[in-house]
Structures are given as structure tokens and as C-alpha cells.
Amino acid sequence: MALLQIAEPGQSPKPHQRRLAVGIDLGTTNSLVAALRSGISEPLPDQNGQVILPSAVRYHADRVEVGQSAKDAAATDPLNTIISVKRLMGRGISDVKHLGEQLPYRFIGGESHMPFIETVQGAKSPVEVSADILKVLRQRAEATLGGDLVGAVITVPAYFDDAQRQATKDAAKLAGLTVLRLLNEPTAAAVAYGLDQNAEGVVAIYDLGGGTFDISILRLTGGVFEVMATGGDSALGGDDFDHAIASWIITEAGLSDDLDPSAQRSLMQTACAAKEALTDTDSVDVVHGAWTGVLTRAAFEALIEPMIARSLKACRRAVRDSGIELDEVEAVVMVGGSTRVPRVRAAVAELFGRQPLTEIDPDQVVAIGAAIQADTLAGNKRDGGELLLLDVIPLSLGLETMGGLMEKVIPRNTTIPVARAQEFTTYKDGQSAMMIHVLQGERELISDCRSLARFDLRGIPAMVAGAAKIRVTFQVDADGLLSVSARELASGVESSIQVKPSYGLTDGEIARMLKDSFQYAGDDKVARVLREQQVDAQRLIEAVEGALQADGERLLDAEERMVIDMQVDELRELMKGTDGAAIEQQTKRLSQVTDAFAARRLDSTVKAALAGRNLNEIEE
Ligand code: ADP
Ligand code: MG
């Protein structure tokens, strides 16, 4: 949705009081942890100086192995070595069945259940496997930084849904980490480059990792980022480049493509090494067993051209989905190890007509951005200000209530995803339907807000005004999709609608609506108070008239009746004007002159209810 800069309250802590917080890129292929040290965000190395931790977990009967050595065992011990677990997070078994070919695990669990993986150490859920990766990163951070962490910002793909985000949070909890926030990966990359400091513009984040490709289009206006579109291909990445080279070796060397697992593994390693070498040289000698060949960069580029073309197609679609033209993209950020491939860079530059940003290591850029945000969230002031970037909703979301007022359910700047519920009630006796009018904006009166959707809740059982309880739930998911549902709690009748609040509003419009809300804040408050008084007055008049109709003849004499009628007329007259105080006063007066009448009505209902029953019955 949007990134918004807000000031973090609190003082800058003294250096020795600095609260330790880290950013974690929990990737499909590789994971990293980064932190701010001496004002610079950098990835933290392990004891051997390695910053990248392959996202591979191998279970032994009595221990857990994580990282490169586990990854190396993927071919020899495939059933106990879990790779690409990120693809399983927050998914049901039926969602991941099609991955069976790529992930040769023994899944257990029913159709609708979380896929558990059977290992020598028992059944492991994807959450537990991810937690094992996170534990290693946490220990590394604590050892490197020398203290307990107050928390971590963990990045997730922009398209992750609530279940996938929740699973990520659960994994963090299991690893003993406090999640300061989940941050979208493209957002983190933009933060790492300090793009939030720019005035405005559209930014594209091109992320080509080991097994996945993501493209995100963000729009920035005055410090506010909006995710305009996301796209990509969940089965496209550097691994495919490796496969292409492996096939080339098989053909060139005249090998059978029916290799045993260990030969397969060494072939893939050879292919991957050749690929990475070609990033820096024009040709490599490829040695596989007794065979030796030469792979030129040009030949490699020809092999991967179709895959690059697929990624560009997804970019064009995402740009089109954003409703903009390619040349409106003002910066392109390269993320993911596979964007090191020179041909990938060139193709992206060609498509967007500009050089992509590559100065920050593409493997590290997401973790670096996450660490910057983690540090700020932990309460440490940054040099040059304490600006903070969040994925937030840009304008408040709410409902129309009586009197044409906007009742905010989710205030602007709330981080997403978010769900909020609020209870409302009926206005009239026996009211059987309710119109739910969903609005966006900061102003008090609905006429100054933007109408997003209307729907009806019908079938509310007959009750007196104010007795029905209608819970209205607003939910904004990670993509900024708003759904609103209304439910009458006693009967369970329900109705809902989906709206896309951010789309269709230009940033200029958002800025104007915000400006108006500040400018008119004073007026709005007066208007709101007046509306509320008018609603109170109207409600009282309706109640009094209903009562007069029912019991006026029976319980009031002519003079009493005349006094009440006069006060009602007086209040009606005042309601036409704008004198809130006068309306309030007259409402009180009408209420006073009808007090005795109300008491008499209550009396007579009680008497009627008690008629025919003796005292003993009543006392019981
Ligand atoms: P993920 O986001 O999926 O965890 P990464 O961003 O870490 O993945 O990217 C991993 C991919 O980057 C692997 O396919 C790896 O081979 C590739 N890669 C890393 N370094 C290079 C390089 N120098 N040249 C080409 N590809 C590289
Ligand atoms: Mg990644």
C-alpha cells in the first residue's frame, strides 16, 4: 500500500544503551541477518566470515544442521534435508502438492492441514523448519553484537497473504525472536537505497533469487510509498540457469540424463560454479568427470535468454497493472543473487531505459534495509532524523453513521495487514436492515469523504432501537485489499463486500484529502458536534412521538399533551438552524417535560406484566 514517514518518539539512547535489533531476510534459497553498526547497516558474518546462510535444514536423529553443509547433503539425504521451505509457509497440503516434483519430501497430514514433513527427527512443520534457520541467525547476531536482541524486522514477499505472514511470525516466536515488524522485501530494498529520502517518483524492484522472481512497482510521493502492483513467477530463478547449464553439459559431454543422485548433485554444483564465474569472466573451462569443455558467456546468455524474457514480460505486466508507462519508472532496484548476471542487468536496463541500481550487494540489500528499519523501531535515533518507513494505509477507513458522519474504523497510518471490528446498533425499533456505507478520508462529514462501497445487511431480527448488536469488521490484507463484513450477533445474519481502497485514488488526491482534513479540522469538529446533537434530537423526537401515539390518549391530559407538543415543535424549529448549543438545551428540556410521561408508561407496562400474578409468584 503505502510507506509513510513518521517520527519515532523518544530520545536518542546513549551508545551503551543502544537497543540491539536486527533485520532478517528469510529467503527461499539464502537467509541473512543484518544490523546497524557504527551507523552503517551491514550483514553479520558467521565465524568463518560468511554472511549468507543457505536456507537448508538437515535433521539428524540427535541434532539439526543448518546452512551450507546441510545444503550439500540435499542430494545424499534428500528426505531429511529441507530446502525451499519458504514455499510451504502458511500453505495447506493441497496448495503444495504440485511442488512434489521439486520437493521430494514425505508429507503427512490431511487435505486441509498444514503439510508436515517426516524426518528422522519426527514430523516437522514448515514453521519449525523456518524457526531452525532463524535460530542460527539469532545466535549469530547475539554473538556478534554481544547482547540480547530486543527484536527483529523480518522481510516477506509483498504478495504474502495473512496465513503466510502469520506462519513467518510463528516461526520467529519459536526461534525466540520478537518480531518488531514484518516488512515487504521490495520496501526493504527501497529503504536500503534511501529512496524514501527522494521527493517523489515511481520505483521498480526487480528481485531474481534462486528459485523465484518478483517484480514490485512502488510509487513515492512526499515520503509516502504505495505498492502499485506486484507480479513475478514463483518458478523462475538462478536454479533454472543452473539447470540450463547442466543440460548443456549433458549434451556436450554425451552423458545420459538419467544420473544417480550424487552425479546429479556434482553436475549441478559444476553448473552453478560455471554460472557464477561467468559473471566476472567471458568464458570458463567446465570440467565434469573426464570431460572438459568451454562455456562462453555468449553461449550461456543464449541458454538463459528465454527465462530473462519471461521476467521482462512480468515486468511489463506489472507496469501495465500500475496504470503507468515504462518511462515513468524513475529508479530500478536490483535484488537477488541472480541479478549479478550481466545479461540480466543489461536486459532490465534496456526495458526500463535506465541503468538499474546495483551498488548495494543484491544478496544483501533486503537484509540491509530491514536492519535500518529494525534499528529505528527499537527506538534508536538515526543520524539526520528519526524517520521511519512503514507499510500503512494512506487514508482512514470508516463507515457512515447517523447524521451523515464518518466513523473511523481503521485510522490512517495503520500498518497493514490489519483487521479491526466495531459494534454498531440499530436506530429504530424493529429495524430489519442496515445500510453499510464504507468511506475513506479524514473529514468528519461523509460528504467530504470518498465513498468506496455500499451494501445492506438484511434480516436483522426485530428488536428495540439500540438492542441489536452489529459487528462490522474491516480487514485490509497485505495487498491493500479491503473487505468489510457485517454480522448481527444474535441471529448470525451476515453480509460482506470487497473493495480496493487505494486503487483509483491518485497520490495527488490523497495529498489533497489529507491537507483538507488538517485545514478544516476545527470546522469539522463543530460540524460533527452539531450533527451529533441533531441526531440526538431527532432520536428523542421519534421516541416521544411513538410514545404519544401509543399511550398519549390514555396517560396524558390535554394540558400535558400541549406542553409536550410545544417543546417538540420548538426543537424541530431549532434543528433547522446551526446553533448546536440551543439544540442541546432544547433536547434536554423536551426530555425533562416528558419524564413524567415516560415514568407513567413504565408503570403501566409493569402493572400490565404483573396483572394476574400473585405476590408469591413475583418474589420467586
Ligand atoms: P533467494 O532470494 O531465493 O533466497 P538469493 O537472492 O540469495 O536467493 O539468490 C540466490 C541465487 O543467486 C542462486 O541461484 C545463486 O546461484 C545466484 N548467484 C549468486 N551469486 C551469483 C553470481 N555471482 N552470478 C550469478 N548468479 C549468482
Ligand atoms: Mg531474496
Side-chain angles (χ1 to χ4, degrees):
M1 292 241 29
L3 282 168
L4 218 93
Q5 299 186 319
I6 60 171
E8 186 72 7
Q11 301 288 314
S12 167
K14 302 232 159 48
H16 66 274
Q17 293 174 326
R18 196 169 186 89
R19 289 150 60 82
L20 302 177
V22 294
I24 293 179
D25 173 2
L26 185 60
T28 309
T29 316
N30 294 315
S31 297
L32 287 92
V33 58
L36 238 72
R37 297 203 282 179
S38 317
I40 294 166
S41 184
E42 57 186 19
L44 305 177
D46 65 9
Q47 290 147 323
N48 305 319
Q50 296 295 317
V51 296
I52 285 179
L53 178 73
S55 307
V57 181
R58 182 183 184 190
Y59 290 98
H60 299 266
D62 56 347
R63 67 193 174 95
V64 181
E65 193 181 352
V66 180
Q68 191 59 51
S69 61
K71 186 180 173 182
D72 293 341
T76 49
D77 187 16
L79 294 178
N80 296 306
T81 308
I82 320 300
I83 52 163
S84 298
V85 69
K86 191 173 179 178
R87 293 179 187 274
L88 307 178
M89 292 290 273
R91 293 308 176 93
I93 269 212
S94 43
D95 300 327
V96 301
K97 263 203 181 135
H98 70 280
L99 295 172
E101 233 173 77
Q102 298 163 42
L103 307 171
Y105 311 128
R106 284 182 303 227
F107 286 125
I108 35 186
E111 277 299 312
S112 62
H113 286 86
M114 202 197 265
F116 277 80
I117 302 163
E118 207 177 300
T119 72
V120 285
Q121 218 183 80
K124 297 286 174 185
S125 72
V127 169
E128 289 172 277
V129 179
S130 294
D132 284 326
I133 298 169
L134 289 171
K135 270 181 209 160
V136 172
L137 296 174
R138 182 186 137 217
Q139 283 156 5
R140 181 193 292 184
E142 286 175 350
T144 318
L145 301 172
D148 287 342
L149 302 179
V150 298
V153 167
I154 300 180
T155 58
V156 289
Y159 59 78
F160 254 29
D161 63 19
D162 280 342
Q164 292 168 301
R165 284 165 197 262
Q166 193 53 54
T168 306
K169 275 190 177 172
D170 292 345
K173 210 162 141 195
L174 207 56
L177 283 166
T178 303
V179 179
L180 298 170
R181 178 148 302 144
L182 295 182
L183 182 67
N184 288 337
E185 287 161 11
T187 304
V191 172
Y193 274 102
L195 293 176
D196 49 302
Q197 308 299 320
N198 288 351
E200 56 181 31
V202 177
V203 183
I205 317 291
Y206 180 102
D207 181 351
L208 189 62
T212 56
F213 169 61
D214 298 316
I215 175 75
S216 312
I217 312 291
L218 310 177
R219 184 198 285 277
L220 172 74
T221 316
V224 180
F225 270 120
E226 177 195 358
V227 177
M228 301 169 80
T230 63
D233 190 330
S234 60
L236 177 63
D239 298 347
D240 299 298
F241 297 178
D242 301 349
H243 279 118
I245 295 176
S247 303
W248 174 83
I249 296 173
I250 288 174
T251 312
E252 295 291 305
L255 300 173
S256 132
D257 48 10
D258 187 24
L259 298 171
D260 67 56
S262 102
Q264 176 74 23
R265 178 189 134 211
S266 84
L267 177 65
M268 292 310 294
Q269 277 172 348
T270 304
C272 186
K275 171 188 77 175
E276 295 187 2
L278 284 173
T279 289
D280 301 312
T281 56
D282 285 339
S283 79
V284 283
D285 294 333
V286 183
V287 183
H288 184 70
W291 176 82
T292 305
V294 174
L295 181 61
T296 62
R297 190 188 272 174
F300 168 60
E301 288 174 353
L303 291 176
I304 62 170
E305 202 53 45
M307 299 166 212
I308 295 177
R310 258 162 70 198
S311 80
L312 298 184
K313 198 170 159 201
C315 290
R316 272 188 227 102
R317 190 179 314 126
V319 167
R320 198 168 54 234
D321 287 349
S322 310
I324 57 163
E325 299 296 325
L326 274 165
D327 60 9
E328 288 175 67
V329 175
E330 285 171 22
V332 183
V333 177
M334 293 300 239
V335 180
S338 301
T339 61
R340 287 223 181 76
V341 173
R343 179 66 202 130
V344 171
R345 291 185 176 184
V348 171
E350 225 169 276
L351 175 74
F352 287 98
R354 64 179 56 249
Q355 280 308 316
L357 298 172
T358 54
E359 296 79 58
I360 303 179
D361 192 316
D363 303 317
Q364 303 179 358
V365 63
V366 167
I368 287 172
I372 292 172
Q373 181 163 62
D375 191 66
T376 317
L377 284 173
N380 301 318
K381 218 169 165 181
R382 278 174 71 193
D383 290 347
E386 52 277 50
L387 296 174
L388 178 57
L389 291 137
L390 304 170
D391 283 330
V392 299
I393 57 164
L395 291 169
S396 302
L397 297 167
L399 285 184
E400 174 176 351
T401 58
M402 287 307 301
L405 293 177
M406 153 79 154
E407 177 73 28
K408 286 170 190 161
V409 178
I410 304 183
R412 103 188 171 84
N413 286 0
T414 303
T415 53
I416 56 164
V418 62
R420 293 268 167 89
Q422 201 153 316
E423 278 175 21
F424 293 89
T425 189
T426 45
Y427 177 73
K428 281 190 173 160
D429 289 349
Q431 185 176 337
S432 69
M434 196 180 219
M435 198 259 299
I436 311 282
H437 185 190
V438 184
L439 299 154
Q440 182 177 46
E442 305 313 308
R443 303 285 301 277
E444 300 276 352
L445 302 183
I446 64 150
S447 47
D448 297 323
C449 292
R450 178 168 182 259
S451 169
L452 292 177
R454 284 170 212 265
F455 66 102
D456 291 336
L457 177 67
R458 299 189 173 279
I460 301 172
M463 280 182 248
V464 294
K469 271 195 183 157
I470 288 119
R471 176 174 296 152
V472 179
T473 307
F474 276 56
Q475 186 165 0
V476 183
D477 70 11
D479 293 324
L481 189 71
L482 167 70
S483 45
V484 181
S485 62
R487 182 185 169 85
E488 197 287 306
L489 297 179
S491 61
V493 294
E494 208 174 78
S495 185
S496 67
I497 199 162
Q498 285 215 327
V499 231
K500 271 196 171 179
S502 63
Y503 301 87
L505 258 196
T506 66
D507 287 343
E509 282 171 316
I510 292 178
R512 182 187 52 72
M513 288 169 92
L514 284 178
K515 208 173 120 235
D516 283 357
S517 78
F518 299 136
Q519 199 163 335
Y520 300 120
D523 295 353
D524 273 8
K525 218 157 166 201
V526 173
R528 182 175 190 105
V529 170
L530 176 64
R531 287 297 174 103
E532 278 170 358
Q533 270 146 6
Q534 284 173 331
V535 169
D536 283 351
Q538 185 61 32
R539 187 180 291 138
L540 182 61
I541 289 174
E542 284 180 21
V544 168
E545 291 192 326
L548 285 174
Q549 211 165 8
D551 297 317
E553 297 278 301
R554 202 160 57 84
L555 300 174
L556 295 174
D557 64 28
E559 197 183 331
E560 288 169 328
R561 173 74 193 238
M562 201 180 72
V563 170
I564 293 177
D565 283 344
M566 266 173 56
Q567 300 297 345
V568 169
D569 289 345
E570 170 83 37
L571 183 54
R572 277 238 165 80
E573 206 47 45
L574 284 170
M575 279 174 64
K576 290 178 191 158
T578 55
D579 187 346
I583 297 172
E584 190 183 7
Q585 226 170 23
Q586 183 59 23
T587 306
K588 273 197 194 130
R589 194 169 308 140
L590 174 60
S591 168
Q592 278 160 11
V593 303
T594 54
D595 269 357
F597 176 40
R600 252 176 260 166
R601 291 190 75 211
L602 193 67
D603 242 27
S604 78
T605 11
V606 172
K607 275 192 198 127
L610 298 185
R613 299 161 80 193
N614 69 34
L615 253 172
N616 286 342
E617 278 178 310
I618 295 162
E619 275 175 356
E620 270 173 70

